[in-house]
């Protein structure tokens, strides 16, 4: 991809897991990628993995902090002048296995602040930049989850935020139409990352039993994101589900 045609992406939660895989896949396809996350060292590891030829900008960012989000998109504007893609990926499960009645307000709030408020803040900043730039427009892809459809036991904060992500996606899609801003959502099930290690050792099922669940390579998710990202703005994958084939999703519960 020549310099004049180079597309610019922001990937949040890019220091590990799905975010890192997506950032590396975009970079390999010739995109310039701003990688954001709460810790600088993992972002630098992502940039190193992309190789010396890749154009990767590391910006330490807490997506739940409005000032950090503003600084992230200002850094992207200063370096590249425009933005073509936001992959809204940063997220947290919160404390695992805590019954609803025992979940603290602080734990609830921390999940909502990252998964929902953080996604909103990044989407708002990207929307503003995409609306104002010339040529106008761009794409936002939100990382939903199988939990945007069905919950796991003891996951009320995570599940609520992922259901809310679907509403965020739909509103962004509608509000972005006049400005050539497309928005889609990828709902992911059991990608093999640091966050899903417990799937491979046994995780609580709806019937109260523990079971090992199949996982898939995060690269399979990244290839789907790349496909969504490289569509012309006249086309949009509104919702996509990418999951380990045999995970207990169809029929969960």
């Amino acid at each position: 991809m020549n310099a004049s045609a180079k597309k610019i992406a922001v990937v949040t939660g890019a220091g590990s897991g799905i975010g890192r895989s997506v950032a590396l896949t975009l970079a390999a396809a010739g995109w310039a990628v701003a990688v954001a996350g709460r810790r600088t060292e993992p972002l630098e590891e992502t940039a190193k993995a992309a190789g010396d030829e890749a154009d990767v900008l590391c910006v330490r960012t807490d997506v739940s902090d409005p000032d950090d989000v503003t600084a992230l998109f200002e850094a992207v504007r200063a370096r590249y002048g425009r933005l073509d893609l936001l992959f809204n990926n940063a997220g947290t499960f919160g404390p695992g296995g805590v019954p609803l009645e025992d979940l603290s307000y602080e734990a609830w709030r921390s999940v909502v602040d990252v998964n929902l408020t953080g996604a909103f803040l990044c989407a708002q900043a990207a929307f503003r930049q995409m609306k104002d730039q010339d040529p106008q427009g761009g794409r936002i892809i939100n990382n939903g989850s199988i939990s945007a459809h069905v919950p796991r036991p003891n996951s009320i904060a995570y599940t609520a935020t992922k259901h809310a992500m679907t509403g965020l996606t739909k509103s962004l899609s509608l509000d972005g139409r006049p400005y050539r801003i497309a928005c889609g959502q990828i709902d992911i099930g059991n990608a093999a990352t640091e966050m899903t290690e417990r799937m491979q050792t046994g995780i609580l099922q709806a019937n109260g039993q523990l079971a090992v669940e199949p996982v898939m390579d995060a690269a399979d998710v990244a290839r789907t994101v790349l496909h969504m990202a490289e569509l012309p703005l006249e086309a949009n994958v509104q919702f996509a589900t990418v999951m380990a084939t045999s995970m207990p999703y169809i029929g969960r519960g």
Side-chain angles (χ1 to χ4, degrees):
M1 184 179 295
N2 62 48
S4 63
K6 183 176 286 187
K7 299 287 189 176
I8 313 303
V10 169
V11 177
T12 66
S16 63
I18 290 168
R20 173 175 286 176
S21 185
V22 168
L24 295 178
T25 298
L26 289 168
W31 289 65
V33 186
V35 294
R38 284 183 290 186
R39 295 183 297 129
T40 301
E41 184 176 352
L43 298 178
E44 292 175 343
E45 291 171 358
T46 298
K48 183 178 180 180
D52 293 339
E53 299 301 314
D55 186 352
V56 179
L57 172 66
C58 299
V59 186
R60 195 216 62 81
T61 308
D62 178 350
V63 298
S64 69
D65 184 330
D67 292 336
D68 273 15
V69 172
T70 297
L72 165 63
F73 286 88
E74 286 179 347
V76 172
R77 187 191 296 267
R79 177 151 168 174
Y80 300 112
R82 67 173 289 106
L83 175 64
D84 298 289
L85 173 69
L86 164 65
F87 181 46
N88 229 346
N89 169 70
T92 179
F93 283 134
V98 177
L100 182 156
E101 64 272 22
D102 296 329
L103 186 70
S104 68
Y105 170 78
E106 291 76 17
W108 165 270
R109 182 63 184 269
S110 68
V111 175
V112 172
D113 283 352
V114 173
N115 292 7
L116 181 56
T117 303
F120 162 73
L121 291 171
C122 289
Q124 183 184 53
F127 192 100
R128 286 170 174 160
Q129 185 162 340
M130 292 171 180
K131 179 181 175 181
D132 291 344
Q133 65 194 9
D134 183 20
Q136 192 178 62
R139 190 181 305 274
I140 297 169
I141 300 174
N142 291 325
N143 183 345
S145 171
I146 296 297
S147 291
H149 302 273
V150 289
R152 290 187 179 276
N154 301 328
S155 68
I156 191 166
Y158 184 77
T159 299
T161 59
K162 291 305 183 178
H163 275 65
M165 184 72 89
T166 300
L168 187 73
T169 298
K170 291 177 178 179
S171 286
L172 286 166
S173 294
L174 180 59
D175 293 345
R177 284 180 187 173
Y179 312 110
R180 300 187 75 244
I181 300 172
C183 183
Q185 180 170 313
I186 183 166
D187 295 323
I188 301 162
N190 287 18
T193 68
E194 296 89 336
M195 289 180 67
T196 60
E197 287 178 348
R198 55 184 177 159
M199 309 293 181
Q200 300 172 70
T201 58
I203 189 167
L204 185 65
Q205 305 294 303
N207 63 4
Q209 297 179 349
L210 292 177
V212 174
E213 294 189 8
V215 297
M216 62 175 174
D217 195 318
D220 296 321
V221 176
R223 282 193 292 270
T224 306
V225 173
L226 179 64
H227 167 70
M228 295 169 73
E230 294 197 327
L231 288 171
L233 291 177
E234 291 73 24
N236 186 43
V237 176
Q238 188 65 69
F239 292 98
T241 301
V242 183
M243 52 178 267
T245 304
S246 299
M247 71 170 288
Y249 162 49
I250 301 300
R252 183 190 286 186

